[in-house]
């Protein structure tokens, strides 16, 4: 009798575990999300089943050269994906939109090769793309920020100080290389950059100062210098943002290309 109870319990437990780990796709799943208004941002994550385990990766933006994003999903992660896919099944033909806007929110879900597009403001509840990314890749994203901070601090040892470009900053176009050299002696009548602590960057131009915040981004194994106008320091004046691919960087020179 005890043996029968043990076997029955084992079968029920095995069935429960299988039910818990059952995912609503057979081999692969890709979730693409495009959002924005005047400019769009594209993000993507992929999942696949290998040897009975489910693994996920953030494939866009791809920061794997900096830190590998591959994550093995746990029970809660699987439940999150299953709940999302249930909403995909519900909304794939139509949904009642929460609102309309010039802001776009596009989802393309590819499950085992079958593509589903949902280009409406459906009610994704707490299962928006950003929610899924944070729930599944939260630990990775936290470690990624730490790694980026360390590398930014290391690069600041090169950037700290004054720099002068080979052409005027407002004349830099897409395509040609922009060469910037470190200088020791500054001339207030000339244009030059000043990299400061805490990701602050000043453009000195015609005895006027334009305030920026900057960061070094790491994408697809490449480094980018991104500059953003500091709204608090520049007041009412609108300042365009800029992004450059860092072709090379050392303590005396950097070569950039607008991207």
């Amino acid at each position: 009798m005890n043996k029968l109870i043990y076997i029955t319990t084992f079968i029920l437990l095995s069935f429960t575990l299988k039910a818990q780990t059952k995912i609503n796709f057979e081999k692969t799943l890709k979730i693409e999300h495009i959002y924005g208004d005047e400019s769009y941002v594209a993000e993507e994550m992929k999942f696949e089943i290998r040897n009975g385990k489910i693994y996920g990766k953030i494939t866009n933006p791809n920061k794997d050269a900096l830190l590998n994003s591959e994550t093995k999903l746990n029970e809660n992660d699987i439940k999150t994906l299953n709940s999302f896919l249930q909403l995909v099944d519900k909304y794939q033909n139509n949904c009642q939109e929460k609102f309309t806007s010039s802001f776009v929110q596009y989802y393309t879900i590819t499950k085992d090769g079958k593509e589903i597009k949902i280009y409406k403001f459906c009610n994704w509840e707490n299962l928006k793309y950003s929610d899924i990314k944070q729930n599944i890749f939260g630990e990775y994203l936290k470690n990624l920020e730490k790694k980026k901070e360390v590398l930014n601090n290391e690069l600041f040892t090169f950037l700290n100080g004054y720099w002068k470009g080979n052409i005027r900053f407002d004349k830099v176009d897409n395509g040609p290389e922009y060469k910037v050299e470190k200088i020791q002696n500054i001339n207030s009548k000339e244009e030059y950059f000043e990299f400061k602590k805490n990701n602050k960057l000043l453009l000195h131009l015609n005895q006027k100062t334009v305030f920026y915040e900057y960061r070094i981004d790491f994408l697809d194994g490449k480094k980018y210098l991104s500059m953003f106008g500091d709204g608090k320091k520049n007041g009412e004046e609108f300042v365009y943002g800029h992004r450059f691919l860092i072709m090379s960087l050392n303590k005396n020179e950097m070569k950039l290309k607008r991207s």
Side-chain angles (χ1 to χ4, degrees), residues 89-197:
D89 289 339
K90 179 180 177 181
Y91 296 147
Q92 64 176 313
N93 294 321
N94 202 357
C95 77
Q96 183 175 356
E97 293 190 276
K98 296 168 57 180
F99 54 85
T100 58
S101 170
S102 59
F103 183 94
V104 304
Q105 177 179 276
Y106 298 156
Y107 282 86
T108 301
I109 301 94
T110 307
K111 185 171 73 169
D112 296 318
K114 180 184 176 182
E115 187 176 85
I116 300 169
K117 294 182 181 292
I118 301 176
Y119 285 6
K120 289 191 172 185
F121 284 96
C122 301
N123 181 10
W124 292 103
E125 301 171 10
N126 61 340
L127 294 166
K128 299 185 297 295
Y129 186 96
S130 57
D131 298 324
I132 297 172
K133 183 173 70 173
Q134 186 59 45
N135 288 342
I136 296 178
F137 299 101
E139 189 65 25
Y140 160 77
L141 293 170
K142 184 167 62 177
N143 292 332
L144 179 65
E145 287 304 311
K146 291 179 181 177
K147 187 80 177 284
K148 286 166 60 177
E149 183 178 356
V150 169
L151 288 176
N152 266 278
N153 289 336
E154 290 176 356
L155 289 171
F156 177 69
T157 61
F158 290 107
L159 294 173
N160 184 28
Y162 304 104
W163 296 76
K164 179 174 173 54
N166 62 331
I167 57 175
R168 266 178 40 186
F169 188 60
D170 60 352
K171 298 296 183 182
V172 178
D173 295 322
N174 294 338
E177 187 177 84
Y178 180 42
K179 185 177 177 181
V180 189
E181 295 182 329
K182 181 168 277 191
I183 56 175
Q184 300 301 323
N185 301 314
I186 60 174
N187 183 341
S188 61
K189 294 182 180 180
E190 295 182 339
E191 175 187 281
Y192 63 94
F193 292 99
E194 181 182 359
F195 284 87
K196 300 171 69 69
K197 290 182 178 179

Side-chain angles (χ1 to χ4, degrees), residues 145-252:
E145 287 304 311
K146 291 179 181 177
K147 187 80 177 284
K148 286 166 60 177
E149 183 178 356
V150 169
L151 288 176
N152 266 278
N153 289 336
E154 290 176 356
L155 289 171
F156 177 69
T157 61
F158 290 107
L159 294 173
N160 184 28
Y162 304 104
W163 296 76
K164 179 174 173 54
N166 62 331
I167 57 175
R168 266 178 40 186
F169 188 60
D170 60 352
K171 298 296 183 182
V172 178
D173 295 322
N174 294 338
E177 187 177 84
Y178 180 42
K179 185 177 177 181
V180 189
E181 295 182 329
K182 181 168 277 191
I183 56 175
Q184 300 301 323
N185 301 314
I186 60 174
N187 183 341
S188 61
K189 294 182 180 180
E190 295 182 339
E191 175 187 281
Y192 63 94
F193 292 99
E194 181 182 359
F195 284 87
K196 300 171 69 69
K197 290 182 178 179
N198 301 319
N199 298 101
K200 301 297 183 182
L201 171 61
L202 310 181
L203 171 60
H204 299 275
L205 176 64
N206 297 328
Q207 298 182 319
K208 175 185 176 182
T209 302
V210 183
F211 296 86
Y212 290 95
E213 293 182 348
Y214 81 92
R215 71 165 181 258
I216 306 297
D217 292 317
F218 304 85
L219 182 61
D220 296 327
K222 298 177 181 178
K223 299 183 185 69
Y224 293 87
L225 169 65
S226 297
M227 302 166 55
F228 312 92
D230 188 334
K232 294 181 180 179
K233 292 288 184 66
N234 291 306
E236 298 294 325
E237 183 178 355
F238 177 78
V239 177
Y240 284 101
H242 306 274
R243 191 175 85 152
F244 295 91
L245 171 64
I246 300 176
M247 309 293 291
S248 65
L249 170 64
N250 58 50
K251 62 181 181 180
N252 296 314

Side-chain angles (χ1 to χ4, degrees), residues 20 56 69 74 85 160 199:
Q20 287 177 334
S69 66
N74 59 33
L85 290 173
N160 184 28
N199 298 101

Side-chain angles (χ1 to χ4, degrees), residues 80-93:
T80 295
L81 276 187
N82 279 338
S83 297
F84 173 75
L85 290 173
Q86 286 175 1
L87 288 179
V88 170
D89 289 339
K90 179 180 177 181
Y91 296 147
Q92 64 176 313
N93 294 321

Side-chain angles (χ1 to χ4, degrees), residues 46-60:
K46 291 182 179 179
F47 303 89
E48 65 174 341
I49 300 174
R50 299 200 310 263
N51 300 320
K53 303 292 184 182
I54 304 167
Y55 297 87
K57 294 193 76 167
I58 296 175
T59 45
N60 187 25

